[in-house]
């Protein structure tokens, strides 16, 4: 085991100061319009990586490059990058008109006042079926943008509903990377973890839906939505949603959407082959910054891990929390701290698994409970951090459709992660069932 080195966590502090600190200063103190966008996230991460490279003099620079390459080459990172690029291509193919057609089709079937609630419920079902919050957010954010523009609901409200529903499935789905990582790491059956987890996640989802409905009825709808739409252009989204609900692989789902969208756009005369290729390229290009963030985070975390930063963090949490309930809270904060550091809830669970398993034995916590805690708290933190893949994808997808929105506008509307935290704390400190 590497020596604990708290100073190894300095790059994370540097990033937070540059990105969050300057963003808050520009946006809310200096009142600069869209001030948050004056702080390029890639530059902030580059500065953090520079600090990480300067640290740990015992390792030469060539070895540090090798460590960063190993971090970037992780299966989860590669999978995430491919999802980003494929989803960007899908957005480029179907374009704004298809997203608007989906929104107007939905609004023609249901009263406009219930649009945001429908977005949340659909996101819950799709994310459970697909097992990926990033894929769900990418697919549904264009619809949320179009619903906002058509009905008059605030864009952060609509996007927040999609993100909340996406994290519901990320937490519960049998095919989610987080579920697989947590159950394998703690040695429990997925069905047992699901049952333990369901009675925390479901109440949070119900409360979120009720709050969304309350706020929806307090929102003034700007007239009746009677925009025309091309029903055939809805087909790619329908195929993608059906594929997600029945549990088809996310890549197959996205490729099906791309192929069907391309055929419909070409055969319907809505675009030319050259324009279609250009749109696909623009969609992929819109995800480049998000991909770079994932790469830089993986590289930075590899250096921090080598220097003993994560061992120090794990050690501090292990020494602070005592007793069974304190131990459970410690596990949750442990994986939350890992998620803040890595911006990847699957990686956070993998890193926290060994020490959490040791803590579970010490505090007499069952494997299914431990797996549930790790998965739930990782999703709570991942669902709200402004530099997480989920937030970045939502912002990027909205940007591709011509709308600007910041993380700080979305965060206050992330109701589901907030209620998931509340329900988790009640499950820990409330009246517990007798463990079998």
């Amino acid at each position: 085991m590497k020596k604990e080195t708290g100073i190894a966590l300095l790059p994370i502090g540097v990033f937070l100061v540059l990105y969050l600190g300057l963003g808050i200063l520009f946006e809310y103190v200096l009142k600069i319009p869209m001030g948050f966008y004056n702080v390029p996230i890639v530059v902030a991460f580059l500065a953090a990586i520079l600090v990480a490279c300067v640290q740990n003099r015992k390792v030469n620079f060539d070895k540090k490059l090798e460590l960063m390459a190993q971090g970037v080459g992780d299966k989860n990172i590669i999978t995430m990058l491919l999802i980003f690029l494929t989803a960007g291509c899908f957005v480029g193919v179907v374009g704004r008109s298809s997203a608007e057609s989906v929104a107007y089709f939905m609004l023609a079937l249901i009263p406009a006042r219930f649009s945001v609630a429908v977005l949340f419920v659909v996101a819950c079902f799709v994310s459970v079926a697909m097992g990926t919050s990033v894929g769900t957010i990418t697919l549904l954010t264009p619809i949320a943008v179009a619903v906002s523009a058509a009905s008059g609901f605030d864009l952060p409200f609509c996007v927040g509903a999609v993100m909340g529903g996406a994290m519901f499935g990320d937490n519960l789905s049998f095919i989610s990377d987080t579920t697989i990582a947590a159950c394998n790491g703690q040695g429990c059956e997925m069905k047992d973890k699901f049952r333990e987890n369901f009675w925390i996640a479901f109440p949070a989802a119900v409360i979120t839906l009720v709050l969304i409905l309350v706020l929806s009825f307090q929102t003034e709808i700007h007239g009746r939505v009677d925009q025309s739409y091309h029903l055939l252009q809805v087909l790619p989204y329908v195929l993608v949603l059906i594929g997600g609900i029945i549990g088809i692989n996310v890549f197959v789902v996205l490729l099906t959407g791309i192929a069907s969208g391309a055929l419909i756009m070409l055969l319907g005369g809505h675009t030319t082959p050259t324009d279609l290729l250009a749109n696909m390229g623009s969609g992929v290009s819109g995800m480049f910054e998000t991909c770079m963030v994932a790469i830089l985070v993986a590289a930075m975390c590899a250096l921090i891990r080598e220097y003993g930063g994560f061992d120090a963090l794990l050690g501090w949490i292990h020494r602070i929390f005592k007793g069974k309930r304190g131990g459970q809270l410690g596990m949750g904060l442990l994986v939350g701290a890992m998620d803040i550091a890595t911006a990847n809830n699957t990686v956070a669970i993998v890193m926290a698994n060994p020490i959490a398993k040791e803590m579970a034995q010490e505090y007499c916590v069952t494997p299914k409970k431990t797996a549930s805690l790790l998965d739930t708290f990782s999703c709570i933190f991942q669902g709200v951090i402004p530099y997480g893949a989920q937030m970045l994808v939502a912002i990027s997808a909205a940007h591709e459709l011509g709308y600007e929105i910041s993380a700080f506008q979305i965060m206050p509307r992330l109701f589901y992660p907030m209620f998931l935290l509340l329900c988790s704390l009640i499950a820990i400190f409330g009246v517990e069932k007798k463990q079998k």
Side-chain angles (χ1 to χ4, degrees):
M1 184 175 181
K2 302 179 184 68
K3 182 180 179 181
E4 295 181 7
T5 311
I7 193 64
L9 298 170
L10 180 61
I12 299 173
V14 170
F15 167 76
L16 292 175
V17 169
L18 289 177
Y19 184 63
L20 301 183
L22 291 178
I24 293 172
L25 176 65
F26 293 162
E27 187 85 23
Y28 296 101
V29 178
L30 300 180
K31 304 295 184 181
I32 299 175
M34 301 303 293
F36 199 81
Y37 292 95
N38 291 329
V39 188
I41 189 171
V42 172
V43 174
F45 271 119
L46 283 174
I49 287 180
L50 177 61
V51 173
C53 287
V54 172
Q55 292 182 309
N56 198 7
R57 300 294 181 87
K58 294 180 180 180
V59 178
N60 61 43
F61 186 67
D62 286 340
K63 179 63 176 177
K64 290 175 180 176
L65 289 176
E66 182 179 335
L67 290 169
M68 288 190 284
Q70 292 172 355
V72 173
D74 181 85
K75 176 187 174 183
N76 290 317
I77 301 301
I78 298 300
T79 301
M80 186 185 302
L81 294 176
L82 292 176
I83 290 176
F84 286 160
L85 297 177
T86 309
C89 186
F90 172 74
V91 171
V93 168
V94 296
R96 179 184 300 182
S97 60
S98 294
E100 291 176 346
S101 292
V102 172
Y104 297 138
F105 177 63
M106 291 170 57
L107 293 173
L109 294 178
I110 62 172
R113 192 168 295 281
F114 298 99
S115 300
V116 182
V118 170
L119 285 173
F120 175 72
V121 172
V122 169
C124 288
F125 279 108
V126 171
S127 58
V128 168
M130 294 180 67
T132 166
S133 56
V134 172
T136 300
I137 291 169
T138 304
L139 298 175
L140 295 184
T141 296
I143 301 176
V145 170
V147 166
S148 173
S151 63
F153 285 109
D154 289 339
L155 181 56
F157 186 30
C158 296
V159 175
V162 168
M163 289 185 63
M167 296 315 297
F168 174 84
D170 198 326
N171 183 202
L172 283 181
S173 175
F174 280 82
I175 60 175
S176 170
D177 287 347
T178 59
T179 297
I180 295 170
C183 292
N184 289 348
Q186 299 304 315
C188 71
E189 295 290 335
M190 290 188 184
K191 61 181 181 180
D192 294 332
K193 179 262 181 187
F194 177 85
R195 291 168 183 165
E196 189 78 27
N197 212 158
F198 181 81
W199 297 111
I200 299 174
F202 182 70
V206 171
I207 298 171
T208 299
L209 182 59
V210 171
L211 179 58
I212 288 175
L213 290 172
V214 170
L215 294 176
S216 296
F217 277 96
Q218 293 177 353
T219 302
E220 180 180 354
I221 304 300
H222 301 310
R224 180 180 177 182
V225 179
D226 56 359
Q227 296 284 343
S228 61
Y229 56 86
H230 301 283
L231 188 59
L232 193 59
Q233 290 186 7
V234 176
L235 183 60
Y237 282 104
V238 172
L239 292 177
V240 166
L241 293 178
I242 292 175
I245 291 173
I246 64 179
I248 297 177
N249 180 276
V250 61
F251 291 111
V252 175
V253 168
L254 288 172
L255 289 174
T256 300
I258 292 171
S260 60
L263 285 174
I264 290 171
M265 297 300 287
L266 289 173
L267 296 179
H270 303 293
T271 187
T272 64
T274 54
D275 288 340
L276 180 66
L277 289 174
N279 292 337
M280 293 171 69
S282 297
V284 172
S285 298
M287 293 294 179
F288 280 177
E289 182 178 75
T290 306
C291 290
M292 284 306 306
V293 168
I295 292 171
L296 294 175
V297 167
M300 180 182 71
C301 290
L303 295 178
I304 294 174
R305 186 184 302 110
E306 177 67 20
Y307 196 21
F310 291 140
D311 288 316
L313 191 58
L314 297 177
W316 295 338
I317 293 177
H318 183 65
R319 289 191 292 266
I320 291 173
F321 294 97
K322 309 294 181 182
K324 185 174 182 179
R325 287 181 170 84
Q328 292 180 55
L329 179 60
M331 292 176 195
L333 296 181
L334 161 69
V335 75
M338 292 290 97
D339 189 78
I340 291 173
T342 63
N344 185 307
N345 47 348
T346 303
V347 174
I349 291 172
V350 171
M351 292 170 57
N353 260 329
I355 188 66
K357 193 167 187 177
E358 181 181 331
M359 293 171 67
Q361 294 173 351
E362 180 179 337
Y363 299 128
C364 298
V365 180
T366 60
K368 62 181 181 181
K369 182 69 173 180
T370 304
S372 173
L373 287 169
L374 292 179
D375 200 345
T376 301
F377 274 85
S378 70
C379 287
I380 290 170
F381 284 86
Q382 184 68 22
V384 298
I385 56 175
Y387 52 92
Q390 289 75 7
M391 183 72 76
L392 294 174
V393 165
I395 294 173
S396 296
H399 176 74
E400 282 300 302
L401 295 173
Y403 295 85
E404 299 295 340
I405 186 173
S406 74
F408 285 141
Q409 291 174 304
I410 299 174
M411 289 170 68
R413 300 304 185 108
L414 295 173
F415 305 130
Y416 176 72
M418 298 177 190
F419 288 125
L420 185 60
L421 174 60
L422 176 62
C423 291
S424 298
L425 294 176
I426 292 174
I428 292 174
F429 294 103
V431 179
E432 294 186 338
K433 296 181 292 183
K434 184 178 180 181
Q435 299 285 355
K436 296 183 180 180

